[in-house]
Amino acid sequence: MPAHFDARETRAPTEREAALLAALPAHVRHAQTHSAAYAELLAEVQPESINSRQALAQLPLLRKSDLHARQQASRAAGGDPFGGFSTIGWLGLRHPGGARRVYQSPGPIYEPEGLAPDYWRVARALVAAGFEPGELVHNCFSYHLTPGAWMMESGAQALGCTVIPGGVGNTEQQLAAIADLRPSGYTGTPSFLRILVEKAEQAGQRLSICKALVSGEAFPPSLRDWLQERGIAAYQCYATADAGVIAYETAARQGLVLDEQVLLEIVRPGTGDPLPEGEVGEVCVSVFNPDYPLLRFGTGDLSAILPGPCPTGRSNTRIKGWLGRADQTTKIKGMFVHPAQVAEIVRRHPEVRKARLVVSGAMADDHMKLQVELHTTSATDYARLAEALAQTLREVTKLRGQVELLAAEALPNDGKVIEDVRRYD
């Protein structure tokens, strides 16, 4: 079994960082030139100036909600179904070729697949999960409209594996195929793998599957251990339909290692401001995919950077894995309050390091408290600051709330900007 997918996984971190930053200006120029959306969004940007992380952080963040809104508006006007972000398409679009398939994710959001082999870069994650060239893989992601199945299939084929297109459901038929063909690998959601294992046990069937790469939902350690007890070593990868594989688990079981074509930022929810290593925030990625050049794409997921390299020899940055959702929009007294509004309150008061809006009470009796963490060097009139913050809270959210001033480092490092602790019983 190969230890690594290629030599890039073990190169010096400084070499990787230099290569990614050196590739940024050309990638920005390509996006401006070939993508109508980025021609508009980056109209005032000089590509040659985007050659550092600091410069990258000045570009606008693109969230999934923004992508959906632009696609929806473009389709309503009879325009590009990709909202101008894709540089490939088919006859009748601005770009008349280069797309192998087009997918529909919930929203709906449409994603293109280009002609590059292993378009979503899954083969690297498969190798880390123990897959080898020539193996037979039972793929149980859905082949209906969404790209999950094709992501795994293209990665397995790029690695040199043969694929059974199992899809989801029809467990008896799938178990019959597994019994007849004896695949060694599984790709799909962890929950469906559990269903297959349980059904097989009930039928007295011993599965040939001994390894798995799972994605698409949470993979708790309890399920990982349950599968291991039944002879299946399952690993997870973190991927989206838009960005492909972002990070993947290794045999070390210590977080997830970033893919080699991903430039990662962890940003404060509700803003595009990068956070220091170890602090929980929203996963934001720039992926060097010329067909769909998403820059500073906010995934909406929370995570944090782990210090140090992976014990397997892979030298890329590691993240903790999925820690929740960044979009913590909450309805309070009939009004939606967004993380960006909490960020705006912090922006208006330089004494504040970070803040959290805690919503408590019961049904139809909501209470808001803005917990504010101050800088350690902050010297101020606390009563006046609390009064000013309460006024800003009302101005920004149109709602009244209390303010609680806290010392630096008092708030938990969990990425929460809005915490809903209301009782609904």
Side-chain angles (χ1 to χ4, degrees):
M1 183 180 72
H4 304 106
F5 181 73
D6 60 26
R8 292 194 297 171
E9 292 182 357
T10 57
R11 58 184 163 167
T14 52
E15 178 186 347
R16 178 183 295 105
E17 181 76 357
L20 290 172
L21 293 178
L24 258 181
H27 190 59
V28 172
R29 188 184 305 108
H30 174 80
Q32 284 178 320
T33 305
H34 299 284
S35 157
Y38 278 117
E40 176 190 337
L41 291 170
L42 307 180
E44 305 301 320
V45 173
Q46 296 298 319
E48 292 71 21
S49 69
I50 312 301
N51 57 7
S52 67
R53 286 185 175 270
Q54 293 75 19
L56 178 65
Q58 301 309 307
L59 299 183
L61 206 70
L62 175 72
R63 290 196 167 84
K64 214 173 184 76
S65 56
D66 303 322
L67 187 61
H68 174 247
R70 280 182 168 266
Q71 285 198 5
Q72 196 172 40
S74 181
R75 292 195 300 272
D80 180 1
F82 300 119
F85 286 98
S86 176
T87 67
I88 58 175
W90 51 85
L91 197 62
L93 297 184
R94 180 184 178 207
H95 306 288
R100 176 183 281 121
R101 298 185 184 92
V102 60
Y103 302 96
Q104 183 196 79
S105 294
I109 294 177
Y110 293 96
E111 301 97 7
E113 178 190 0
L115 301 178
D118 195 18
Y119 177 79
W120 287 281
R121 309 175 313 283
V122 175
R124 189 181 302 280
L126 287 165
V127 169
F131 286 67
E132 301 179 59
E135 289 191 289
L136 180 61
V137 178
H138 195 78
N139 186 19
C140 287
F141 276 108
S142 172
Y143 279 85
H144 178 66
L145 285 177
T146 57
W150 303 98
M151 294 171 73
M152 289 294 176
E153 180 169 304
S154 64
Q157 290 178 342
L159 185 59
C161 296
T162 302
V163 176
I164 303 170
V168 295
N170 301 310
T171 52
E172 290 79 9
Q173 188 177 1
Q174 301 229 34
L175 287 173
I178 292 171
D180 291 341
L181 299 172
R182 299 185 298 280
S184 55
Y186 167 94
T187 52
T189 62
S191 60
F192 191 67
L193 177 56
R194 177 165 192 154
I195 289 171
L196 287 176
V197 172
E198 289 176 338
K199 292 284 187 180
E201 288 180 343
Q202 292 169 11
Q205 176 182 344
R206 182 176 179 82
L207 293 182
S208 56
I209 293 169
C210 60
K211 61 189 68 174
L213 180 64
V214 298
S215 192
E217 59 189 29
F219 184 42
S222 58
L223 179 52
R224 176 199 67 199
D225 295 343
W226 185 88
L227 291 168
Q228 188 66 60
E229 290 167 3
R230 287 152 179 81
I232 301 174
Y235 296 85
Q236 61 182 314
C237 71
Y238 170 37
T240 75
D242 324 89
V245 168
I246 294 171
Y248 55 91
E249 195 174 17
T250 73
R253 303 280 193 192
Q254 296 181 14
L256 306 179
V257 177
L258 283 185
D259 179 70
E260 294 295 320
Q261 288 176 240
V262 170
L263 202 161
L264 171 84
E265 300 169 272
I266 301 292
V267 303
R268 192 176 302 283
T271 77
D273 303 332
L275 292 171
E277 182 178 294
E279 194 158 342
V280 176
E282 182 178 4
V283 174
C284 171
V285 295
S286 297
V287 183
F288 292 88
N289 176 3
D291 297 338
Y292 204 41
L294 300 182
L295 287 156
R296 300 204 80 207
F297 179 66
T299 64
D301 296 317
L302 294 175
S303 194
I305 293 175
L306 280 172
C310 180
T312 63
R314 293 171 175 86
S315 58
N316 208 343
T317 302
R318 297 179 300 162
I319 59 175
K320 289 185 177 180
W322 188 80
L323 299 177
R325 291 293 294 169
D327 185 7
Q328 300 153 29
T329 299
T330 305
K331 184 175 278 190
I332 306 168
K333 296 182 179 179
M335 300 279 288
F336 280 109
V337 179
H338 307 270
Q341 292 173 294
V342 179
E344 173 61 17
I345 295 169
V346 174
R347 188 190 66 79
R348 294 190 189 184
H349 297 274
E351 307 95 333
V352 175
R353 180 176 179 271
K354 68 178 182 179
R356 174 185 304 220
L357 190 65
V358 179
V359 190
S360 60
M363 186 68 73
D365 184 28
D366 299 335
H367 300 278
M368 283 198 324
K369 178 187 287 185
L370 184 69
Q371 295 183 324
V372 173
E373 187 179 295
L374 302 179
H375 290 289
T376 52
T377 56
S378 181
T380 187
D381 183 330
Y382 295 117
R384 181 173 297 176
L385 176 60
E387 183 180 342
L389 282 163
Q391 178 63 28
T392 304
L393 175 64
R394 186 179 179 188
E395 289 175 4
V396 172
T397 67
K398 312 304 179 190
L399 297 167
R400 294 181 183 273
Q402 296 178 304
V403 172
E404 180 182 9
L405 302 181
L406 304 172
E409 311 295 338
L411 289 174
N413 178 26
D414 56 10
K416 287 186 179 178
V417 175
I418 301 176
E419 183 179 14
D420 190 346
V421 296
R422 287 174 290 191
R423 303 187 313 276
Y424 295 99
D425 50 347

